[in-house]
Amino acid sequence: MATLPLAENTTQNAIFKMYEDRAENAGRPHLGASVIGHDCHRYLWYLFRWAHIEKHEGRLLRLFETGTLQEKRLIENLQAAGVMVKAVDEDGEQFAFQSVGGHFGGSMDGAALGLVEAPKTWHVLEFKTANGRSFADIAKKGVEIAKPMHFAQMQLYMGWAILTRAMYIAVNKDNDDIYTERIEFNKRYFDALVEKAVSIISAEIPAIPLGVERTSMPCKWCSMVELCHGTAAPEVSCRTCVHVTPELDGNARCSCREHGKDLTLAEHRNACAKHLHIPNLL
């Protein structure tokens, strides 16, 4: 007997659709500390310029939420183990940092004092979740090799928070095992990451691709592959407009030469009738 296809109108799909309906599907106002460790400058430039906005399916959006929910549990675990944790500032907000005129930054998971490995030293806290295969790779190789983007993220938070150590805590989503690793601050690497952000934000055109063609690694699995190597059209917003310049002297300020003014975030997202794509995007 043939197996009947799954019905589309199911509770499972309704849950996933809820996540898709409430997703913002909009570019981040700034280049994030969580991505600056990516190898491809072209990818990062596309990301900052909102050349392509990723739209995730509901199942994946729910998976992202699962990672976020794990943070609260880990903070409670640390506190129960006698560790002092600061996860929010005096205003009750997550610790946020800005750099490069407000165009670059990120939010730190927290800071801890009283960790067993060095009880008198404040540590940046970075929480992650990983499937069994990825978790094993981290445990075998260490964060710097296995997850260079996570490593870069912690270096930035240490530099911005003026701390010299970070504690990386990863949870295995398959069996709830925990991996911890202390990371030492590297001032030279921190400075290089900030300079990298400056070069990407101030660049008028994208860098050359890392891969020669769309089937090359790492381009093959990149979310920007159709834009970079294919025929996909770039998004229409002020970030992809030739008239707009990210200024490095203000609070994430972008100026428009066509209208002679700074743009609000809403204006960024809703390009005017005089929008002209940056030629190198086409």
Side-chain angles (χ1 to χ4, degrees), residues 150-167:
H150 297 173
F151 184 81
Q153 188 177 7
M154 287 184 288
Q155 290 294 334
L156 287 166
Y157 292 151
M158 281 189 280
W160 288 331
I162 317 179
L163 297 176
T164 61
R165 297 291 186 274
M167 175 60 82

Side-chain angles (χ1 to χ4, degrees), residues 26-31 48 50 102-104 239 252 254 265 268-269:
R28 296 179 69 178
H30 63 274
L31 183 63
F48 176 69
W50 302 348
H103 293 293
F104 180 47
R239 285 287 178 92
C254 287
L265 185 59
H268 265 74
R269 302 201 189 285

Side-chain angles (χ1 to χ4, degrees), residues 27-258:
R28 296 179 69 178
H30 63 274
L31 183 63
S34 61
V35 298
I36 196 63
H38 197 288
D39 288 335
C40 184
H41 286 228
R42 187 180 182 91
Y43 168 88
L44 291 170
W45 189 88
Y46 280 156
L47 200 65
F48 176 69
R49 288 285 183 162
W50 302 348
H52 170 71
I53 306 298
E54 291 186 83
K55 296 177 176 62
H56 300 294
E57 61 179 17
R59 181 195 62 80
L60 194 56
L61 292 168
R62 189 174 185 276
L63 185 62
F64 295 156
E65 182 187 63
T66 298
T68 301
L69 293 173
Q70 188 68 252
E71 295 175 11
K72 181 176 182 292
R73 184 184 181 192
L74 284 171
I75 289 172
E76 291 172 350
N77 290 163
L78 288 169
Q79 291 172 331
V83 178
M84 179 189 298
V85 177
K86 288 190 176 182
V88 295
D89 60 21
E90 294 178 353
D91 298 320
E93 301 292 334
Q94 196 171 12
F95 291 104
F97 304 97
Q98 289 187 341
S99 181
V100 193
H103 293 293
F104 180 47
S107 298
M108 185 172 71
D109 288 339
L113 179 67
L115 294 168
V116 175
E117 294 84 350
K120 296 182 180 180
T121 302
W122 277 100
H123 289 67
V124 165
L125 287 174
E126 187 60 39
F127 303 132
K128 299 294 184 184
T129 60
N131 61 31
R133 183 176 179 180
S134 179
F135 184 90
D137 195 47
I138 298 169
K140 178 180 179 181
K141 300 176 182 176
V143 180
E144 184 174 4
I145 302 301
K147 296 292 182 182
M149 291 173 65
H150 297 173
F151 184 81
Q153 188 177 7
M154 287 184 288
Q155 290 294 334
L156 287 166
Y157 292 151
M158 281 189 280
W160 288 331
I162 317 179
L163 297 176
T164 61
R165 297 291 186 274
M167 175 60 82
Y168 182 84
I169 304 179
V171 176
N172 187 327
K173 291 184 286 189
D174 295 354
N175 61 15
D176 224 28
D177 195 7
I178 294 175
Y179 171 80
T180 62
E181 181 181 341
R182 292 181 71 219
I183 306 297
E184 185 175 358
F185 179 55
N186 184 326
K187 178 65 163 56
R188 182 176 296 180
Y189 186 44
F190 167 82
D191 291 339
L193 289 170
V194 174
E195 285 302 313
K196 180 180 180 181
V198 171
S199 68
I200 291 162
I201 291 163
S202 59
E204 296 182 358
I205 60 174
I208 62 172
L210 280 185
V212 177
E213 54 189 28
R214 61 180 301 147
T215 56
S216 304
M217 294 297 289
C219 301
K220 184 176 182 179
W221 306 114
C222 180
S223 60
M224 305 287 184
V225 66
E226 288 298 330
L227 179 63
C228 191
H229 291 288
T231 58
E235 301 280 349
V236 175
S237 76
C238 290
R239 285 287 178 92
T240 60
C241 181
V242 71
H243 301 306
V244 174
T245 301
E247 306 291 353
L248 305 185
D249 62 349
N251 185 21
R253 186 169 71 89
C254 287
S255 64
C256 175
R257 292 187 295 276
E258 182 66 24

